[in-house]
Amino acid sequence: MPEDYTPTYVEQGKAFERDTDYIPDRITSGARDPGDHHNKSDGSGREYWPVEPGRYRLIVARACPWANRAIIVRSLLGLEDVISMGQCGPTHDSRSWTFDLDPGGVDPVLGYERLQQAYFARFPDYPKGITVPAMVDVSTKAVVTNDFPWITHDFFFEWREFHRPDAPDLWPAECREEMEEVMRRIYTEVNNGVYRCGFAGSQEAYDDAFERLFAALDWLEERLAERRFLMGEDITEADVRLFTTLARFDPVYHGHFKTNRSKLVELPHLWRYARELYAIPAFGDSIDFDQIKAHYYRVHTDLNPSGIVPDGPDLSGWTTAV
């Protein structure tokens, strides 16, 4: 594929469909190296890798909401010393995310210029998108998984031995069933819903996505009128998953993706909630609004062919007291 190839996100006449065909492998406690005949197997075709401090490198981009989840959970659980983290820059071409934030444009641990190199180290003809977050085996410099919902799930359940003593219970047993239902709706209607608006290929597809998105936001606004966080008084994985979309809503989605019925700042309970989370270092420190805007407005050339990044909106409200 040529270097100057411009990816297309909008298919005329069609609704947006996200490709969710990720590398399904997981890193779990008690697993052995892939290929070991004693290793676990569940018949799914995935391979299981062992939890080992220092073995893996989490590759992220602060611009990406899916990678943003992993940054937050790693910090909340105190896994910084056992799972290193490499950061790609905010933009990418059709080939890959790149390490242009590092000196010389090279990740200091992997020695790579492109995340693509880690994928090709394991799958030389890897045919799908090179996505973040990705867990990479440092010893082989090969990708292990990019299945982002399982990455944060396993940070909590499989790396517990290495959590900091006061780490939050992100998957509380007493409300887990309800939380998973809440997260499913957040994913389909909000996390992915903004993309279905932005990448709609017809007016009908856009109208449907728009209606569904704001129905879900209204539901969340009502839910947060009666509770501090989504599941009550304590932070859970559900809050991590919603926050990453809320943080991008006014800077990007409201204009770039045409989700313009309401701004986040006009939804009082969601805005209070988002600011309270932002004040927590694991959340607020993960956000770089400049990188977020640079990514969306420069990469999506079919939506913004000029590549101009808007100067607004005013984001000072994020640091005002709740």
Side-chain angles (χ1 to χ4, degrees):
M1 190 174 292
E3 179 74 26
D4 62 353
Y5 172 79
T6 301
T8 300
Y9 298 92
V10 178
E11 291 191 65
Q12 292 299 319
K14 296 184 179 180
F16 171 69
E17 295 287 342
R18 180 172 297 280
D19 180 3
T20 57
D21 187 13
Y22 301 107
I23 301 168
D25 291 10
R26 292 175 56 193
I27 300 169
T28 60
S29 178
R32 305 192 183 191
D33 282 315
D36 189 312
H37 70 282
H38 293 293
N39 208 357
K40 292 191 265 184
S41 175
D42 60 3
S44 66
R46 64 165 48 101
E47 294 186 287
Y48 289 86
W49 300 63
V51 166
E52 290 182 15
R55 176 168 178 173
Y56 304 100
R57 187 160 177 80
L58 171 66
I59 304 300
V60 299
R62 291 186 183 274
C64 172
W66 318 105
N68 198 171
R69 294 183 183 185
I71 299 171
I72 294 169
V73 172
R74 172 179 173 269
S75 179
L76 285 172
L77 300 178
L79 294 173
E80 295 95 328
D81 291 338
V82 296
I83 302 171
S84 69
M85 187 172 77
Q87 297 187 48
C88 300
T91 62
H92 60 76
D93 57 28
S94 62
R95 291 171 59 196
S96 176
W97 295 85
T98 55
F99 294 102
D100 47 285
L101 300 179
D102 290 308
V106 174
D107 179 84
V109 173
L110 301 176
Y112 288 154
E113 296 179 353
R114 291 178 171 274
L115 179 56
Q116 182 187 56
Q117 293 169 268
Y119 281 70
F120 285 176
R122 185 170 175 204
F123 306 106
D125 298 315
Y126 189 74
K128 294 172 285 186
I130 308 298
T131 64
V132 288
M135 293 288 282
V136 177
D137 181 10
V138 173
S139 62
T140 62
K141 301 183 180 181
V143 68
V144 172
T145 182
N146 63 344
D147 199 341
F148 65 88
W150 281 108
I151 289 174
T152 53
H153 173 282
D154 290 342
F155 279 179
F156 180 75
F157 286 101
E158 305 297 333
W159 292 80
R160 282 188 173 185
E161 180 183 352
F162 305 101
H163 290 183
R164 59 182 173 84
D166 60 343
D169 183 359
L170 297 180
W171 292 76
E174 65 273 13
C175 64
R176 192 172 300 163
E177 183 175 352
E178 180 190 4
M179 187 181 82
E180 290 180 343
E181 292 177 0
V182 168
M183 291 193 300
R184 277 193 292 272
R185 187 170 182 184
I186 288 171
Y187 172 74
T188 60
E189 308 303 297
V190 181
N191 298 150
N192 200 43
V194 292
Y195 286 86
R196 287 190 294 105
C197 288
F199 297 149
S202 71
Q203 187 69 48
E204 181 181 12
Y206 167 77
D207 290 343
D208 176 68
F210 186 93
E211 181 178 352
R212 287 174 57 182
L213 169 65
F214 281 98
L217 289 176
D218 288 342
W219 165 68
L220 290 164
E221 176 75 0
E222 182 177 349
R223 184 179 182 91
L224 288 166
E226 301 177 348
R227 60 189 78 200
R228 183 181 181 189
F229 301 116
L230 285 174
M231 304 311 300
E233 286 299 306
D234 299 311
I235 292 168
T236 66
E237 173 89 8
D239 299 301
V240 176
R241 296 186 179 195
L242 177 58
F243 173 80
T244 61
T245 296
L246 297 183
R248 289 158 176 78
F249 202 88
D250 289 2
V252 174
Y253 301 145
H254 182 270
H256 187 56
F257 280 175
K258 307 180 184 70
T259 63
N260 59 358
R261 191 207 72 179
S262 309
K263 294 180 179 178
L264 176 62
V265 298
E266 296 167 345
L267 300 168
H269 301 300
L270 276 163
W271 180 225
R272 181 273 310 163
Y273 162 83
R275 283 181 294 143
E276 185 167 358
L277 289 174
Y278 185 82
I280 299 169
F283 288 84
D285 291 350
S286 75
I287 298 297
D288 187 313
F289 288 116
D290 288 337
Q291 289 195 39
I292 288 169
K293 292 200 298 182
H295 171 72
Y296 285 91
Y297 284 103
R298 289 178 179 155
V299 169
H300 302 156
T301 53
D302 47 350
L303 298 185
N304 187 41
S306 70
I308 293 172
V309 179
D311 292 333
D314 179 6
L315 299 170
S316 61
W318 280 95
T319 56
T320 60
V322 176

